[in-house]
């Protein structure tokens, strides 16, 4: 039970009782110390009670004896009386000194100034993506919510945030809780030296986030386009995904040197165009915007969270439907030369996944949704676009075999 105290510091920060980075570090250090102290005292108490023939030591006396001994004060009013107790104390003192030595630098670090965030990123351990633009606690929190979602199969990629100012305390706290998947660096994407520190040349992609609430959207778009130009000048073939606010600024991106959607996978997301498009489609098809929002937002479905009475009404069905997302994945070689309706029927009936489109490597076709049998047949290298609960079930389409599923198509 005492080992559960190791996560108490993070639990306190999760409910926002602690907002300071220094206080979070202090709470973690204290929880680790108390956990070790209680565990060691319990071990010594157990051994002393089992081996002590006469005098029955109390648990409080074990706590007192250990803190006096490990702190090297040693009053001498208590001492182990059996060989087994002495052996346990020797081991606990050695471990305790090592634990105390590790606590020292952590406590000293709390009284130093905030870290400058001017170090270099180590790209030898894992792949990474660079995120720049409008970086604050809200944008980072929204980004990390989907980035760290359990259904996201990529558990190796690290998010590297690049911003011109040091992070505030609440953002430091957020970074510290997710330190294993995200890092923060102070710098500007307009400077080649800062792009080199975050190892942009080896990044999988670079994301440029816009301030959706900017009072001057054209100025915000211009600043982000300048960032894209600087990034492309530094590394021409890096994939760039940029958010802009006004659709008429898209044409400026197409004039950026080395901007190429087909070759590098560069993408531009116009927030106002997306919102107005969803609004227009919702007028023609009520509920369309809700469906799209559920597909692009990652969420999990747990039937145990619903009572038996609720499982028969719309809340259960809506929760199940909202947990589905869009995924892409390879298709089995047994689907070659088949039409889209034939493959979609097999996926729905036998694999219980919904195939809604395909993505080809051909520049003339690209992405097709529900293509006609007269214009498309499956070829090698075709990727399927699915609606499914998680990426694991999508993999079944890649391993489908007619030999194992001879009654796949029901007539």
């Amino acid at each position: 039970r005492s080992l559960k105290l190791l996560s108490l510091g993070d639990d306190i920060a999760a409910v926002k009782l602690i907002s300071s980075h220094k206080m979070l570090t202090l709470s973690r250090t204290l929880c680790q110390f108390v956990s070790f102290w209680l565990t060691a005292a319990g071990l010594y108490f157990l051994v002393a009670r089992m081996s002590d023939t006469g005098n029955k030591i109390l648990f409080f006396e074990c706590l007192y004896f250990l803190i006096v001994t490990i702190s090297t004060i040693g009053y001498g009013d208590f001492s182990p009386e059996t060989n087994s107790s002495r052996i346990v104390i020797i081991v606990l003192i050695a471990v305790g000194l090592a634990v105390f030595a590790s606590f020292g630098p952590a406590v000293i670090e709390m009284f130093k100034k905030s870290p400058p965030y001017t170090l270099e990123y180590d790209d030898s351990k894992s792949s990474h993506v660079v995120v720049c633009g409008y970086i604050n606690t809200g944008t980072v929190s929204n980004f990390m919510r989907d980035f760290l979602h359990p259904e996201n199969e990529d558990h190796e990629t690290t998010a590297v945030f690049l911003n011109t100012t040091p992070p505030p305390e609440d953002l430091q706290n957020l970074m510290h809780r997710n330190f294993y998947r995200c890092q923060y660096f102070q710098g500007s994407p307009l400077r080649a030296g800062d792009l080199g520190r975050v190892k942009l040349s080896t990044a999988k992609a670079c994301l440029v986030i816009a301030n959706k609430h900017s009072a001057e959207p054209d100025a915000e778009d211009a600043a982000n386009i300048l960032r894209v130009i600087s990034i492309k000048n530094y590394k021409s073939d890096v994939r760039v995904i940029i958010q802009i606010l006004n659709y008429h600024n898209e044409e400026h991106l197409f004039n950026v040197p080395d901007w190429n959607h087909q070759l590098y996978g560069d993408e531009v997301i116009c927030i106002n165009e997306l919102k107005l498009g969803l609004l227009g489609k919702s007028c023609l098809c009520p509920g369309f915007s809700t469906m799209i929002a559920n597909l692009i937002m990652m969420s999990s479905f747990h039937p145990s969270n619903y009572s038996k009475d609720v499982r028969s009404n719309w809340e259960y069905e809506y929760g199940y439907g909202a947990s589905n997302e869009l995924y892409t994945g390879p298709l089995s070689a047994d689907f070659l030369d088949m039409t889209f309706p034939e493959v979609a029927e097999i996926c729905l009936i036998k694999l219980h996944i919904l195939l809604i489109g395909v993505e080809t490597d051909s520049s003339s076709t690209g992405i097709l949704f529900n293509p006609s049998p007269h214009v498309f047949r499956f070829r090698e290298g075709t990727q399927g676009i699915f609606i499914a609960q998680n990426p694991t079930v999508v993999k079944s389409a890649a391993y489908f075999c007619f030999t194992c599923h001879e009654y796949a198509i029901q007539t």
Side-chain angles (χ1 to χ4, degrees):
R1 293 179 181 178
S2 60
L3 294 178
K4 293 182 179 180
L5 292 173
L6 294 175
S7 60
L8 181 60
D10 292 331
D11 295 339
I12 294 176
V15 297
K16 298 182 179 180
L17 293 178
I18 294 178
S19 59
S20 171
H21 174 70
K22 292 182 178 180
M23 290 301 297
L24 176 61
T25 304
L26 178 61
S27 64
R28 282 178 170 174
T29 304
L30 289 176
C31 290
Q32 292 172 2
F33 169 74
V34 174
S35 177
F36 170 77
W37 183 27
L38 295 176
T39 304
L43 179 61
Y44 177 64
F45 176 74
L46 178 63
V47 175
R49 277 297 186 106
M50 293 176 61
S51 59
D52 197 356
T53 55
N55 185 24
K56 296 295 183 180
I57 192 171
L58 302 176
F59 181 72
F60 176 77
E61 294 174 341
C62 294
L63 291 173
Y64 168 77
F65 172 68
L66 280 174
I67 197 66
V68 169
T69 303
I70 296 177
S71 63
T72 68
I73 296 177
Y75 289 120
D77 48 351
F78 287 97
S79 61
E81 299 180 357
T82 62
N83 291 333
S84 57
S85 299
R86 294 186 181 101
I87 294 174
V88 171
I89 286 299
I90 292 174
V91 175
L92 292 179
I93 289 176
V95 176
L97 291 176
V99 172
F100 270 44
S102 65
F103 288 162
V107 175
I108 295 174
E109 188 68 22
M110 288 187 301
F111 297 97
K112 289 184 177 180
K113 294 182 179 180
S114 300
Y117 301 99
T118 56
L119 303 177
E120 288 192 5
Y121 174 71
D122 183 9
D123 59 348
S124 61
K125 298 180 181 179
S126 63
S127 57
H128 69 289
V129 295
V130 178
V131 184
C132 59
Y134 184 68
I135 305 297
N136 64 4
T137 306
T139 57
V140 173
S141 178
N142 292 334
F143 177 84
M144 297 302 292
R145 181 177 56 197
D146 281 355
F147 188 73
L148 299 177
H149 197 274
E151 292 182 2
N152 187 354
E153 279 197 315
D154 189 356
H155 301 297
E156 303 295 332
T157 303
T158 301
V160 177
F161 295 91
L162 180 64
N163 197 23
T164 54
T165 59
E169 288 189 351
D170 53 351
L171 185 53
Q172 288 184 35
N173 193 9
L174 177 62
M175 289 287 176
H176 202 68
R177 292 203 305 268
N178 303 296
F179 68 94
Y180 56 95
R181 292 291 303 278
C182 66
Q183 293 189 34
Y184 189 99
F185 293 87
Q186 185 177 352
S188 172
L190 301 179
R191 291 194 290 265
D194 293 334
L195 295 177
R197 288 195 300 110
V198 296
K199 299 297 190 295
L200 181 70
S201 57
T202 59
K204 296 173 64 176
C206 181
L207 283 66
V208 183
I209 300 178
N211 179 10
K212 297 183 294 184
H213 308 290
S214 175
E216 299 180 353
D218 285 329
E220 178 70 15
D221 289 346
N224 284 335
I225 292 173
L226 284 177
R227 295 184 178 103
V228 173
I229 295 174
S230 175
I231 291 167
K232 283 295 185 179
N233 286 338
Y234 182 84
K235 183 67 173 176
S236 60
D237 59 349
V238 66
R239 184 187 183 193
V240 176
I241 304 173
I242 176 177
Q243 286 183 338
I244 63 173
L245 301 180
N246 291 332
Y247 70 92
H248 58 262
N249 292 321
E250 288 187 26
E251 60 184 27
H252 300 299
L253 285 168
F254 301 140
N255 297 324
V256 173
D258 298 308
W259 177 275
N260 194 314
H261 168 72
Q262 296 179 351
L263 187 60
Y264 304 133
D266 297 329
E267 299 281 356
V268 53
I269 302 173
C270 180
I271 297 177
N272 287 340
E273 185 179 20
L274 182 62
K275 290 192 295 185
L276 292 174
L278 289 175
L279 182 62
K281 290 293 184 181
S282 296
C283 295
L284 300 175
C285 179
F288 179 81
S289 59
T290 304
M291 183 189 70
I292 295 299
N294 288 335
L295 287 176
I296 63 178
M297 294 290 292
M298 302 191 75
S299 60
S300 300
F301 178 73
H302 302 288
S304 58
N305 294 338
Y306 297 85
S307 62
K308 294 182 178 180
D309 298 333
V310 177
R311 295 185 184 183
S312 60
N313 59 24
W314 68 270
E315 294 182 22
Y316 183 85
E317 294 181 357
Y318 182 83
Y320 177 81
S323 64
N324 288 271
E325 293 92 21
L326 287 174
Y327 297 99
T328 59
L331 293 162
S332 170
D334 285 20
F335 293 144
L336 294 180
D337 205 39
M338 294 180 63
T339 65
F340 181 83
E342 292 172 342
V343 178
E345 181 182 7
I346 295 173
C347 291
L348 180 61
I349 295 177
K350 286 299 177 184
L351 306 180
H352 306 292
I353 53 178
L354 185 60
L355 177 67
I356 63 172
V358 293
E359 182 179 5
T360 66
D361 52 6
S362 173
S363 59
S364 60
T365 56
I367 297 178
L368 299 173
F369 289 99
N370 193 23
S372 169
H374 303 291
V375 299
F376 175 80
R377 285 183 177 269
F378 282 87
R379 297 287 183 264
E380 186 176 354
T382 301
Q383 295 275 323
I385 302 176
F386 302 91
I387 295 179
Q389 286 230 323
N390 55 69
T392 304
V393 298
V394 173
K395 293 180 179 178
S396 59
Y399 302 113
F400 181 84
C401 175
F402 277 108
T403 304
C404 303
H405 306 83
E406 59 177 316
Y407 301 108
I409 303 179
Q410 300 179 359
T411 57

